Amino acid sequence: MNDDQFWAIVDRTALHQADTRVQTEALRQALEALTADEVVAFTNTMQRHLARAYRWDLWAVGYIIEGGMSDDGFEYFRRWLLSKGRTLFERILAHPDDLADLLADGTEGHLDYEAFAAVSWDVWGEKTGSSPDEIPLYLDLMTDGKDPTGEPFQEDPAWLAANFPRTWARFGG
């Protein structure tokens, strides 16, 4: 599955992002229309994009917004970011500090969407009669044992404020 096909599916579901249950169901319906092999291709394309977002600077922004972020929390944050669609995802990859300007007023943490990636696994399992965790993956979703790319961030408030000023101004402290 090429990127345009992948993002067309994600962007259609992102129209329902105000309610993750509705978005999850929209993704499920879109994937149910695909063959099992196409669901695998979708999942692996998603894995590749999640791996692109496995970066220290993105983790720092999530850390500031959430007031801390575990490695699992960072995984769910990246899924949330991907679920918002191609335009937002690519913009935040290019400029992580922009996220502070794009979040609605009143947003306070909880930028996670753990279930988003699991939908394709479940649909593949239903199509094949296999356990969802047997889906053939080409990239490790959790990136266990690997460090994010880039320079690690410092949990020091002055460092975070200097490197992500808009995010720190809105969510730090």
Side-chain angles (χ1 to χ4, degrees), residues 74 107 126:
F74 182 48
T107 299
E126 292 163 8

Side-chain angles (χ1 to χ4, degrees), residues 110-130:
H110 310 296
L111 305 180
D112 60 62
Y113 194 171
E114 179 180 2
F116 191 76
V119 174
S120 64
W121 296 29
D122 292 341
V123 169
W124 178 84
E126 292 163 8
K127 286 182 171 290
T128 63
S130 300

Side-chain angles (χ1 to χ4, degrees), residues 50-72:
L50 289 170
R52 289 177 56 217
Y54 192 59
R55 301 179 357 198
W56 284 113
D57 56 353
L58 291 174
W59 198 335
V61 166
Y63 177 91
I64 295 167
I65 294 169
E66 297 281 345
M69 183 172 279
S70 68
D71 53 351
D72 285 346

Side-chain angles (χ1 to χ4, degrees), residues 19-129:
D19 185 334
T20 57
R21 288 174 299 184
V22 174
Q23 186 175 6
T24 299
E25 184 55 32
L27 179 58
R28 173 176 288 285
Q29 289 176 4
L31 296 177
E32 286 173 344
L34 303 177
T35 67
D37 287 343
E38 290 169 329
V39 173
V40 169
F42 175 90
T43 304
N44 281 291
T45 302
M46 179 172 29
Q47 303 294 74
R48 185 170 47 79
H49 288 295
L50 289 170
R52 289 177 56 217
Y54 192 59
R55 301 179 357 198
W56 284 113
D57 56 353
L58 291 174
W59 198 335
V61 166
Y63 177 91
I64 295 167
I65 294 169
E66 297 281 345
M69 183 172 279
S70 68
D71 53 351
D72 285 346
F74 182 48
E75 172 64 30
Y76 307 149
F77 170 73
R78 290 182 293 130
R79 292 179 189 185
W80 173 86
L81 184 60
L82 187 134
S83 77
K84 299 303 177 189
R86 186 179 209 166
T87 300
L88 185 116
F89 184 81
E90 295 296 343
R91 178 171 174 184
I92 300 309
L93 260 60
H95 306 285
D97 203 29
D98 284 359
L99 187 56
D101 301 331
L102 300 174
L103 295 173
D105 289 341
T107 299
E108 293 184 22
H110 310 296
L111 305 180
D112 60 62
Y113 194 171
E114 179 180 2
F116 191 76
V119 174
S120 64
W121 296 29
D122 292 341
V123 169
W124 178 84
E126 292 163 8
K127 286 182 171 290
T128 63

